[in-house]
Amino acid sequence: MAQKPITEFIEKHYLHFNAAALVDAAKGYKKHLEEDKKMLVSLAGAMSTGELGKSLAEMIRQDKLHIISCTGANLEEDVMNLVAHSHYERVPHYRDLTPKEEWDLLEKGLNRVTDTCIPEEEAFRRIQKHIFEIWKDAEEKGERYFPHEFLFKLLNSGVLEQYYEIDPKNSWMIEAAKKNLPMVVPGWEDSTLGNIFASYCLKGELKPSTMKSGIEYMVWLADFYTEQATDQGIGFFQIGGGIAGDFPICVVPMLYQDMERTDTPFWSYFCQISDSTTSYGSYSGAVPNEKITWGKLDIDTPKYIVESDATIVAPLIFGYVLGW
């Protein structure tokens, strides 16, 4: 019998409280897939810099998810880790840094994300010249694409292979590009590459219209959900909160209420991993039942919330779903 050390450990020790919620959510995820239903995974925060790709890439390879919604940061940071991993610096004492020490990191070209510094020169600039050529080529041809489609073109071209510093099987973006995985990247403009694209527009070297917009993402997602949900709905596995989760989940009430397609099924599974506490007006801290009032979830939709650190919980749930 195949060894499943992570699964066996979880089932033996994770019996109560948030630990039990983790197991329930993982079992619900597996059951959802066994019923031949699709699953959306949303990525907030800096999960790519946290190297979630080590488990997420395998989830993509094994068709354990069918669409990703992520921030522009997560979209680009997996690629940055791919091409500049050896230049990243960890700062375990980040809580004790003075403003002067933070400034010193800036002057070294190290942009800090909690305890990990992204090397600006090696990461951003190594990608920039190649992605600019792809942006410019599309514009000259009168073509327009979504942010993730441009990065898929970049990865599939092979031009970055000369820079690879990790095993490519641990890059979830490489796996997504291979499969042309459906994606939405709401708010891409606030990412580093989004800022770089805007700078080219300010200099008159590119046009904003070359990049498809967030509204176009929503229109595309509406068609995707309508086609893929059938009468069963799609599952929603949310890592963190923010726009990566709130943007795609709204497609259901939009279709039902604004488009008056009253046969639109609700999301058919919901799990959120978040350490945000319930507070006034907080989306990230809202309990799943609140989403019933917004027409996102049904009364009977399986609902799970794991109030813990997503960097700890998500790889464990993925490991359980993968049978590790």
Side-chain angles (χ1 to χ4, degrees), residues 267-285:
W267 294 97
S268 52
Y269 163 102
F270 180 80
C271 173
Q272 180 178 0
I273 308 166
S274 175
D275 56 6
S276 294
T277 54
T278 302
S279 60
Y280 305 107
S282 164
Y283 170 79
S284 300

Side-chain angles (χ1 to χ4, degrees), residues 30-299:
K30 289 187 70 172
K31 182 175 183 289
H32 184 84
L33 295 180
E34 288 164 0
E35 293 172 351
D36 200 29
K37 297 175 184 175
K38 299 291 198 316
M39 183 69 78
L40 177 148
V41 171
S42 74
L43 306 177
M47 298 304 297
S48 291
T49 293
E51 299 188 61
L52 185 66
K54 291 181 176 180
S55 55
L56 182 58
E58 188 63 25
M59 291 284 285
I60 296 171
R61 272 191 291 273
Q62 294 194 26
D63 297 316
K64 303 296 187 184
L65 61 94
H66 308 90
I67 175 173
I68 285 178
S69 171
C70 73
T71 58
N74 274 306
L75 183 75
E76 66 191 13
E77 286 175 14
D78 182 80
V79 182
M80 291 170 184
N81 179 60
L82 173 69
V83 302
H85 181 78
S86 67
H87 299 277
Y88 279 62
E89 289 192 22
R90 186 162 178 263
V91 186
H93 60 289
Y94 68 92
R95 289 183 176 88
D96 302 320
L97 294 176
T98 65
K100 175 61 169 60
E101 289 171 321
E102 302 277 23
W103 183 263
D104 290 342
L105 291 174
L106 170 65
E107 291 195 319
K108 293 177 184 176
L110 294 171
N111 303 141
R112 185 171 69 82
V113 180
T114 314
D115 71 342
T116 303
C117 292
I118 300 174
E120 180 176 342
E121 187 63 31
E122 290 79 9
F124 301 143
R125 307 312 169 195
R126 190 166 282 182
I127 296 169
Q128 182 175 348
K129 61 182 178 181
H130 298 297
I131 194 68
F132 173 76
E133 290 174 1
I134 293 174
W135 289 337
K136 192 66 177 174
D137 180 65
E139 184 166 301
E140 289 174 351
K141 293 177 179 176
E143 298 172 349
R144 306 175 65 243
Y145 297 98
F146 286 119
H148 75 277
E149 292 177 317
F150 278 117
L151 278 180
F152 283 1
K153 287 177 178 292
L154 178 66
L155 290 167
N156 287 331
S157 74
V159 71
L160 294 184
E161 290 179 9
Q162 60 187 308
Y163 308 121
Y164 285 5
E165 294 192 350
I166 65 169
D167 189 331
K169 73 179 179 61
N170 291 328
S171 165
W172 71 264
M173 275 293 290
I174 284 182
E175 295 304 320
K178 285 179 182 176
K179 287 179 175 280
N180 194 25
L181 187 75
M183 290 184 66
V184 292
V185 189
W188 173 78
E189 297 82 1
D190 80 350
S191 67
T192 300
L193 286 178
N195 291 170
I196 289 171
F197 182 85
S199 75
Y200 284 121
C201 294
L202 286 166
K203 290 182 286 188
E205 296 181 43
L206 289 173
K207 298 175 184 175
S209 58
T210 299
M211 190 69 61
K212 288 189 176 182
S213 70
I215 293 297
E216 288 170 285
Y217 261 134
M218 182 59 82
V219 171
W220 176 89
L221 181 60
D223 289 338
F224 176 88
Y225 192 92
T226 300
E227 178 184 338
Q228 297 294 322
T230 62
D231 60 348
Q232 301 187 97
I234 294 174
F236 201 104
F237 186 82
Q238 181 173 324
I239 301 175
I243 194 171
D246 198 19
F247 179 94
I249 205 168
C250 289
V251 75
V252 167
M254 183 194 77
L255 287 168
Y256 191 100
Q257 298 168 17
D258 303 321
M259 294 297 295
E260 299 182 352
R261 298 181 187 172
T262 54
D263 58 343
T264 300
F266 294 102
W267 294 97
S268 52
Y269 163 102
F270 180 80
C271 173
Q272 180 178 0
I273 308 166
S274 175
D275 56 6
S276 294
T277 54
T278 302
S279 60
Y280 305 107
S282 164
Y283 170 79
S284 300
V287 296
N289 278 357
E290 183 178 295
K291 293 172 174 58
I292 295 174
T293 73
W294 288 88
K296 300 169 182 175
L297 305 180
D298 200 355
I299 295 172

